Amino acid sequence: MKLINSLIAITVALIFLGAKQWDGSKNETSNQNETKAYFLKAKVNGIWTEFNDADQLSASFGPYIDNVYDGVLSASKADEEDSSVLNSMSIIIRQTGKIGVGSYSGGKQFEYGFKGVTLAYMDASESSMYITDVTNPDSFLKINELTETFIKGTFSGALINPVNRRKIAITDGEFFIKSEQY
């Protein structure tokens, strides 16, 4: 039952983050060079998927409870006509101790949910949601740089649709995203 609750919580969080990021408008005052610099990209089953709209990219890191810390990187593409989310990708890390430059992998259940790296991908055209299989986690995150203003790194993993058990591979993932510490 804990596993199902964790999967539902991750799915709701991913959909909420994707929907929250799209308000149908652009920040007119943002520097155009800065806007084009940020990205998250990866191959999904061998096909490149890239998110490069700075308004649709976010990263935040900080304490969750006691000595447990969270980090969430989120990216989405929105339909310009109706503002609906077309697809989105998230990288979620939860661990004891502060998150910093280094390599992280897999995960396991613990008293505060899922400890480790969770990848999630949503494709509205297929009405499909995929997440790291918490019973056999195969997800990797390498943070190369983490400053007060940005995060840069790589990621990969095997994801599964929790309903039909269909699998996808996320490979060659790379990101450079403006980040916030909380």
Side-chain angles (χ1 to χ4, degrees):
M1 191 62 172
K2 280 185 177 182
L3 175 61
I4 291 171
N5 288 340
S6 294
L7 293 174
I8 291 169
I10 290 169
T11 302
V12 169
L14 180 64
I15 291 168
F16 174 75
L17 287 170
K20 179 181 174 229
Q21 288 177 0
W22 180 254
D23 67 1
S25 64
K26 299 260 188 222
N27 181 357
E28 299 296 332
T29 61
S30 67
N31 180 335
Q32 290 299 326
N33 291 330
E34 180 181 312
T35 299
K36 294 181 189 261
Y38 296 115
F39 68 90
L40 184 146
K41 65 181 180 178
K43 288 181 184 175
V44 178
N45 279 344
I47 299 171
W48 279 107
T49 298
E50 186 165 357
F51 305 89
N52 54 17
D53 182 345
D55 293 334
Q56 301 295 310
L57 296 164
S58 69
S60 58
F61 294 85
Y64 174 66
I65 191 169
D66 297 329
N67 192 35
V68 178
Y69 288 79
D70 280 345
V72 178
L73 290 79
S74 183
S76 63
K77 283 186 189 176
D79 186 308
E80 292 184 19
E81 291 183 24
D82 67 8
S83 302
S84 63
V85 175
L86 299 173
N87 61 1
S88 62
M89 190 174 292
S90 292
I91 305 166
I92 304 160
I93 181 170
R94 177 172 287 169
Q95 72 166 33
T96 51
K98 201 165 184 176
I99 298 166
V101 172
S103 296
Y104 304 89
S105 64
K108 63 181 179 178
Q109 290 284 350
F110 80 132
E111 63 267 31
Y112 300 110
F114 190 72
K115 181 179 179 180
V117 177
T118 302
L119 302 179
Y121 177 73
M122 188 270 300
D123 185 345
S125 70
E126 296 180 8
S127 299
S128 296
M129 173 71 164
Y130 300 89
I131 61 171
T132 299
D133 183 354
V134 296
T135 60
N136 187 21
D138 180 14
S139 52
F140 302 93
L141 168 66
K142 182 175 182 188
I143 299 174
N144 297 325
E145 294 180 63
L146 177 59
T147 71
E148 292 293 320
T149 58
F150 73 88
I151 181 170
K152 187 174 188 178
T154 59
F155 65 99
S156 64
L159 282 62
I160 191 165
N161 180 308
V163 177
N164 63 20
R165 309 303 290 171
R166 181 173 167 235
K167 296 179 181 182
I168 62 169
I170 303 290
T171 58
D172 300 320
E174 186 178 349
F175 57 86
F176 175 55
I177 302 175
K178 182 177 181 178
S179 86
E180 299 175 14
Q181 309 290 319
Y182 56 86

